[in-house]
Amino acid sequence: MAVPSVMVLPMFVVVMAGIYYVYNEVTRFMSKSVVRNKVVVITDAVSGMGSECARLLHKGGARLVLCGPSWDKLESLYDSLCIGSDPTQTFTPKLVLLDFSDTAGMQDSAADVIECYGCVDIMICNSSMKIKAPVQDLSLEMDRNIMDMNYFGPVTLVKGVLPSMISRRTGHFLLVNSIQGRLSIPFRTSYAASKHAVQAFFDCLRAEVEEYGISVSTISHTYINSSQNATEPSSSSSSSSPSPSPASSSASSAPSKISNSLLAYLYRQLNHGVTPHDLANEIVRTVDWKRREVLLAHPIPQLALCVRCLLPSAFFSVVAAGVKDGPMAEQMIK
């Protein structure tokens, strides 16, 4: 009996939805089996993304080493993971006090991490320090603090763990990085510089350690939205924002207005963040598939990256136009 033509599309949608569901279930099951009995280190495990990732990996049977700068928060996360868990299917997490801003004590922290189980199979570098301000308002001391937290801290920890992985000829480093390690926007000079630096370090590291059977992955995401529904920044300017004079208004050209509106739209898309749950799931998939590089962003930021590579002059013009626009510049600093 022939199927009516009007039923073809609904049936196709149902079949594709079923395939997608089965695919996700199989992927989730395989991801759990991959991390079972593996020693997984999560830095800044007390953050929203870190705790979500810890829950997923704990359920998957990983031997977790949870790191963070606050012992009280680590113990709270420890309690939430252990309550209601099946001791025959999960391992009790280990806790290590670790602060990336304390680069002098990072070698000792690396030794503490290895001491927990004698080795590290997977290290997830997650911590970062963010700041938004005009470049002239940032002191060199603040620049150094951001570089310590976002670059020197993770690098020192990786170098402390790397000899153990090389001797075992296995391991996996995963950097949770910002999209601003690949795409810089104004008023984030120190932050973007630190993210570019750590991205470059992990890219070089990937090539150098491949011969030892060590994998290196990076995930570049837009900002982490802790609320389920991201609220887009308001495009209205405050009363203190300088208003353009009649002369400047008449002198502003149509291309300039278009550039400003394009940057405003791009900025809103860049700030349409990912949830900690989505990012944690992507981390588990990346560990499973050992993907080298992942871009977790909406299509608009991905398009901006392409424009930055293929038409850099156009990209620079749009960004510069947004900085010159008073209300838009204030929105970007907020």
Side-chain angles (χ1 to χ4, degrees):
M1 182 177 178
V3 178
S5 58
V6 294
M7 295 296 296
V8 173
L9 181 59
M11 289 179 63
F12 176 77
V13 172
V14 170
V15 170
M16 293 305 296
I19 294 174
Y20 182 73
Y21 173 78
V22 172
Y23 169 77
N24 280 339
E25 290 299 312
V26 171
T27 301
R28 185 167 58 179
F29 174 77
M30 293 179 61
S31 298
K32 289 182 178 180
S33 63
V34 166
V35 300
R36 184 168 299 280
N37 299 322
K38 297 289 187 179
V39 178
V40 182
V41 180
I42 304 176
T43 66
D44 197 18
V46 296
S47 66
M49 189 287 300
S51 59
E52 283 288 339
C53 191
R55 290 186 180 92
L56 287 176
L57 296 173
H58 182 67
K59 291 179 181 178
R63 293 184 287 176
L64 292 179
V65 179
L66 305 177
C67 306
S70 170
W71 191 258
D72 291 338
K73 291 182 179 179
L74 283 173
E75 288 184 328
S76 177
L77 176 59
Y78 173 92
D79 293 337
S80 66
L81 293 176
C82 292
I83 294 175
S85 62
D86 185 356
T88 64
Q89 298 293 326
T90 59
F91 293 90
T92 302
K94 305 284 188 179
L95 306 181
V96 173
L97 199 61
L98 185 150
D99 186 357
F100 274 150
S101 62
D102 181 20
T103 54
M106 198 54 57
Q107 288 287 353
D108 294 335
S109 298
D112 293 339
V113 165
I114 296 176
E115 187 180 350
C116 288
Y117 287 103
C119 66
V120 173
D121 294 308
I122 302 166
M123 171 166 286
I124 300 172
C125 296
N126 168 48
S127 306
S128 69
M129 177 181 180
K130 304 176 180 67
I131 188 168
K132 295 185 288 185
V135 62
Q136 65 270 22
D137 294 344
L138 289 174
S139 65
L140 285 176
E141 183 65 26
M142 178 59 70
D143 292 338
R144 293 189 184 97
N145 290 340
I146 293 175
M147 288 300 294
D148 283 344
M149 185 73 175
N150 296 353
Y151 176 73
F152 288 109
V155 167
T156 307
L157 182 61
V158 166
K159 288 186 175 183
V161 173
L162 183 58
S164 173
M165 288 190 177
I166 290 178
S167 65
R168 298 174 61 235
R169 303 191 72 84
T170 184
H172 192 168
F173 291 108
L174 191 150
L175 172 68
V176 182
N177 202 22
S178 169
I179 194 175
Q180 292 187 52
R182 301 173 61 185
L183 178 70
S184 303
I185 58 178
F187 306 113
R188 290 154 178 82
T189 49
S190 299
Y191 178 68
S194 67
K195 290 301 181 180
H196 272 75
V198 74
Q199 178 76 34
F201 175 86
F202 274 75
D203 286 344
C204 295
L205 177 68
R206 181 185 298 113
E208 294 183 26
V209 301
E210 185 174 357
E211 62 176 306
Y212 302 110
I214 300 173
S215 301
V216 177
S217 304
T218 60
I219 298 178
S220 301
H221 60 83
T222 53
Y223 92 104
I224 299 177
N225 181 15
S226 56
S227 62
Q228 200 65 21
N229 297 319
T231 303
E232 291 186 354
S234 172
S235 59
S236 60
S237 61
S238 60
S239 57
S240 60
S241 300
S243 56
S245 61
S248 63
S249 297
S250 59
S252 58
S253 61
S256 176
K257 292 179 181 179
I258 293 174
S259 297
N260 292 352
S261 61
L262 282 174
L263 182 61
Y265 179 70
L266 171 62
Y267 179 73
R268 286 195 299 271
Q269 293 300 316
L270 284 170
N271 281 273
H272 189 72
V274 298
T275 65
H277 180 74
D278 290 340
L279 181 52
N281 277 297
E282 186 59 49
I283 289 172
V284 174
R285 283 193 293 268
T286 303
V287 169
D288 180 18
W289 299 338
K290 293 187 177 180
R291 298 171 64 182
R292 295 182 174 182
E293 191 172 58
V294 176
L295 178 60
L296 190 59
H298 296 281
I300 296 301
Q302 295 185 35
L303 177 62
L305 277 173
C306 294
V307 173
R308 169 66 178 84
C309 295
L310 301 177
L311 300 171
S313 297
F315 178 82
F316 296 148
S317 298
V318 171
V319 172
V323 174
K324 294 175 184 177
D325 180 35
M328 184 63 212
E330 288 189 1
Q331 179 176 317
M332 295 173 70
I333 298 176
K334 291 179 181 177

